Amino acid sequence: MAGKRTVLTVRLRRLAALLFDLREHAELSKEEVSSKTGINVTTLYRIETAQARPQRRTLMAMLDLYGVTEQQRTDAIQLLTDALKPGMSRPYEGSLSEVYAAYINFESEALSARHYQTSYIPGLLQTEQYAIAVIDTSMPKVEASVMEHRARARMDRAAVLSKDEPLELWVVMDEAAIRRVVGGPAIMRGQLDRLLQETKRKNVILQILPFDAGAHPGMAGSFTLLDFPDPADPELVYVEGIAGDELIEGHSEIRRYGVIFDQLRAMALSPRDSATLIASAAQRLS
C-alpha cells in the first residue's frame, strides 16, 4: 500500500550513510555482518541505501558488532528516532511518486535551491489555479482527489520561502515558461503577477533565459540542486522528466549540474530585466 512506503528523508539518508561508514570502518562485508547478526544481506543493502528504516533491535545488533563509541551509538539511535518522524510529504504520499515525495522532504530542510525550469513556472512559485491546470494537462485522466492532493502539496511546499529561516531560492526559467498561456489568459495573468510579487523577496532570485540567448545547456530538461545546512548532508540533484523523476547524488554529477546552472544564469537576463520582461508578458494578457 502507498501509505506503507518508506519515503526518503534527510535523517534517514544520514542514518544510512552513517551505518555504511561504520561497517566500512569495521572492515566487514555485508555477508560477514549477515553471518554474525542474522540480518539478511538484502535488508542490510536496503538499510545502507536508505530504502528501509532499520528496526531498533536491528540497529542495536549492527552497532554492537561494529564496536562503536558511546557517542556514535547515541547519534545513531537519535537519527533512527528522527527518521521515524513523518516528513513534509506524509499527508500527500498516496498521490505522489516516491521520488517526488522524497524531494519534498529534502526541500523542506534545504538551505538553498538552484532551480532551472524549461516549460513551466516552478512549483514553489505557482498559484493554485495554475498548478491545477498544469497537473490536469500533464496527468490526463487522473482522479480529481489525486489532482487536488498534488495541487495542495505544491501550495504547502511554498511555506519554505517564508519560514523563520527561509529557503534561499535561485530560479532560472526559459522564456517559454512565461509566454506559454496555461489555464487561459486570466489564470496566466494571475500567475505572472504572483511571480512579480515573489521577486520582491530577499531570499528569491529570479532570472529569465530569453529566446534570443540561443541554444543553451539546459535544453535537455529541468533540474534542481539542493544544499543543506549540515555538512553531514551532501548536496543532491532532483531531475524532472517524462519517463520519471530522479534524485542524483555523487560529487561528479553534482558538480556537472552546478556548472550547467552557472552557465544558465550567466546567459539569462538580470533579475531587474527579468522582472521587466515578466511585467511585459503580463500586460499583454490584460
Side-chain angles (χ1 to χ4, degrees):
M1 294 178 61
K4 299 295 183 181
R5 295 182 304 178
T6 298
V7 177
L8 192 57
T9 65
V10 171
R11 301 305 187 281
L12 182 58
R13 183 175 69 149
R14 195 184 302 174
L15 175 61
L18 174 62
L19 292 175
F20 174 81
D21 289 342
L22 290 175
R23 180 175 62 78
E24 290 284 296
H25 187 264
E27 298 183 342
L28 292 168
S29 67
K30 286 191 286 289
E31 289 74 18
E32 289 173 321
V33 174
S34 178
S35 174
K36 294 176 183 294
T37 64
I39 303 170
N40 185 276
V41 172
T42 301
T43 299
L44 284 170
Y45 172 80
R46 288 175 56 79
I47 289 173
E48 290 186 354
T49 54
Q51 297 179 49
R53 282 188 297 265
Q55 295 183 358
R56 186 182 177 89
R57 65 175 179 272
T58 300
L59 176 64
M60 299 306 289
M62 296 169 73
L63 297 178
D64 290 342
L65 178 62
Y66 300 158
V68 300
T69 65
E70 283 305 310
Q71 186 59 57
Q72 289 173 323
R73 182 181 298 273
T74 299
D75 291 345
I77 293 173
Q78 185 60 54
L79 282 174
L80 177 60
T81 300
D82 292 341
L84 291 171
K85 298 175 182 177
M88 186 176 178
S89 68
R90 174 59 66 83
Y92 313 104
E93 286 174 4
S95 303
L96 308 177
S97 71
E98 189 170 326
V99 173
Y100 182 43
Y103 171 73
I104 290 177
N105 291 335
F106 281 114
E107 181 186 70
S108 68
E109 297 197 44
L111 174 68
S112 67
R114 288 167 287 167
H115 181 76
Y116 171 69
Q117 180 59 255
T118 58
S119 301
Y120 296 116
I121 306 300
L124 284 178
L125 306 179
Q126 291 179 6
T127 65
E128 187 167 8
Q129 293 82 2
Y130 181 95
I132 291 173
V134 168
I135 296 168
D136 185 38
T137 302
S138 60
M139 300 181 66
K141 299 183 180 179
V142 67
E143 294 181 7
S145 60
V146 173
M147 184 187 303
E148 182 180 337
H149 271 202
R150 291 183 69 95
R152 179 44 46 192
R154 292 193 187 185
M155 297 306 99
D156 288 352
R157 282 173 54 202
V160 299
L161 297 176
S162 56
K163 61 184 182 179
D164 291 341
E165 295 183 8
L167 179 74
E168 298 289 336
L169 179 64
W170 193 323
V171 172
V172 176
M173 277 189 294
D174 194 284
E175 186 176 346
I178 65 170
R179 296 296 186 188
R180 191 179 308 282
V181 179
V182 175
I187 289 177
M188 193 64 198
R189 174 61 193 259
Q191 177 61 75
L192 295 179
D193 288 343
R194 163 76 182 277
L195 276 185
L196 291 173
Q197 293 173 6
E198 295 295 340
T199 62
K200 299 175 183 178
R201 291 184 186 269
K202 293 182 179 180
N203 57 306
V204 174
I205 297 175
L206 178 60
Q207 292 180 265
I208 303 299
L209 187 61
F211 290 141
D212 59 16
H216 58 79
M219 294 174 69
S222 305
F223 62 89
T224 305
L225 291 113
L226 293 180
D227 297 282
F228 300 91
D230 195 317
D233 301 317
E235 298 172 281
L236 59 78
V237 175
Y238 173 64
V239 179
E240 304 173 59
I242 294 177
D245 301 342
E246 183 180 7
L247 287 172
I248 299 175
E249 298 180 88
H251 177 72
S252 60
E253 283 297 288
I254 298 297
R255 185 176 182 278
R256 183 168 71 89
Y257 278 97
V259 169
I260 290 174
F261 188 82
D262 287 343
Q263 292 175 323
L264 292 171
R265 67 184 182 183
M267 296 175 69
L269 299 175
S270 69
R272 183 187 297 273
D273 290 342
S274 295
T276 299
L277 186 62
I278 294 170
S280 174
Q283 184 63 34
R284 292 182 63 181
L285 292 173
S286 297

